Amino acid sequence: MAVTYTLLKQCPQTGARAGILHTPHGDIPTPVFMPVGTQATVKTMSPEELKEIGARIILSNTYHLYLRPGHDLIAEAGGLHAFMNWEGAILTDSGGFQVFSLGPLRKIEEAGVTFRSHIDGSEHFFSPEKAIEIQEALGSDIAMVFDECAPYPADRHYIKESLARTTRWAERCLKVHSRKDQALFGIVQGGMFADLRRESARQLVALDFPGYGIGGLSVGEPAEIMYEMLEAVMPLLPENKPRYLMGVGTADYLIEGVKRGVDMFDCVLPTRIARNGTVLTREGTLTVRNAAYARDFRPLEEGCNCYACRNYTRAYIRHLIKTNEIFGLRLTTYHNLYMLHHFMQAIRASILNDTFPEFYQEFIARFGQKKEEN
């Protein structure tokens, strides 16, 4: 099997897990946050900088790479690892979320989805088979099944039909997936209905995937509902296989996900808000482009050892962002990815040291207390 998981320790008071994800491109300590490199690059960052931060796995986007430059070209280049000069592991999503987010630009049928490109309006068709063909050409370590990411809110009847289609599509993905050095993960759906989530989990576990994504969450629902859905699903997923919560990337969501047994996370948020002049800290967010920081000569986050915080001040970084200097966006991005990586490392250490409940309580007491005037 291309990807396996070793569970090293589980917190007895919670579901928090520390383990190792074994991939063809190296072992990855979990829990882990995966930076998103949508178009074969993590925006503003070089592969060397990602490695320096400590990242060992990143995510790339099937939909975008299919449209530009094309999966055939990437295969000709030797696969995605060679094309982007990334030595670590890569997870590719199936393109399902992007296709379904196109709204009126797409039409869902049992065979697949017809959609129009957001770039030039040209018409395309994604089926489960096509999604696998593209991801096998990309050569990622982990591929995802083509699923229907249902909108929020949606009624029970729609979600039930969508869930059944997702399971049928998962079976079709399994049938055509043939690349031995690539693992194919299933994706649990079911909207905001706990019983449907459990039904989806049971159906996918019966198909015996090497790992399981939890999709269709963090799509606008209240946090409490997301946590409820996780609690419904987690007891049904195999202990010896990785669990991946898709599209989650703030410190509070990460630690709450870990508490409920999640091993892997990804999100564009850390890089996106960095480009808007906002940085993540363990107390909350700080919008460094605000006028309050014009004469603030402290680092972005006190006690942070990242390149940005060791060398530059809030005042300087604010100046760069206000004058549209790209270096400013590189510094905020570097900090955000460093912060999340090291936050996950600290969570992992607390699980291994049997101190996760205390770590969790301390974090919750502190998070969200940051005042912008500080």
Side-chain angles (χ1 to χ4, degrees), residues 87-250:
E87 297 174 353
I90 299 175
L91 183 150
T92 46
D93 62 13
S94 67
F97 177 80
Q98 286 71 32
V99 167
F100 287 101
S101 68
L102 292 171
L105 296 177
R106 53 100 174 117
K107 179 184 177 184
I108 309 168
E109 300 171 298
E110 184 63 27
V113 184
T114 302
F115 63 94
R116 292 194 175 276
S117 163
H118 72 286
I119 300 167
D120 59 11
S122 56
E123 188 171 284
H124 302 268
F125 177 74
F126 263 24
S127 64
E129 294 79 9
K130 185 68 174 180
I132 296 302
E133 174 197 328
I134 297 167
Q135 291 181 88
E136 288 193 339
L138 295 176
S140 54
D141 299 83
I142 300 171
M144 304 301 295
V145 298
F146 189 61
D147 64 322
E148 179 179 352
C149 186
Y152 173 79
D155 65 56
R156 183 182 177 84
H157 177 73
Y158 181 93
I159 293 294
K160 193 169 179 64
E161 289 197 340
S162 170
L163 182 163
R165 184 184 298 115
T166 285
T167 300
R168 292 192 297 271
W169 284 359
E171 292 172 336
R172 287 166 58 186
C173 287
L174 266 178
K175 187 174 180 180
V176 299
H177 185 259
S178 61
R179 187 159 181 158
K180 301 301 182 188
D181 61 346
Q182 182 185 67
L184 178 65
F185 282 18
I187 303 177
V188 176
Q189 289 289 352
M192 305 306 155
F193 302 94
D195 62 322
L196 297 184
R197 284 276 171 184
R198 287 191 286 267
E199 183 179 328
S200 177
R202 289 190 192 98
Q203 291 174 358
L204 292 172
V205 169
L207 295 173
D208 195 28
F209 287 95
Y212 297 90
I214 299 99
L217 294 178
S218 192
V219 290
E221 80 280 5
E224 294 71 25
I225 294 181
M226 178 173 74
Y227 303 150
E228 181 187 338
M229 295 305 106
L230 288 176
E231 288 162 9
V233 166
M234 286 304 170
L236 301 175
L237 299 181
E239 187 179 81
N240 64 338
K241 294 181 179 181
R243 300 118 171 230
Y244 162 34
L245 178 55
M246 308 173 77
V248 167
T250 60

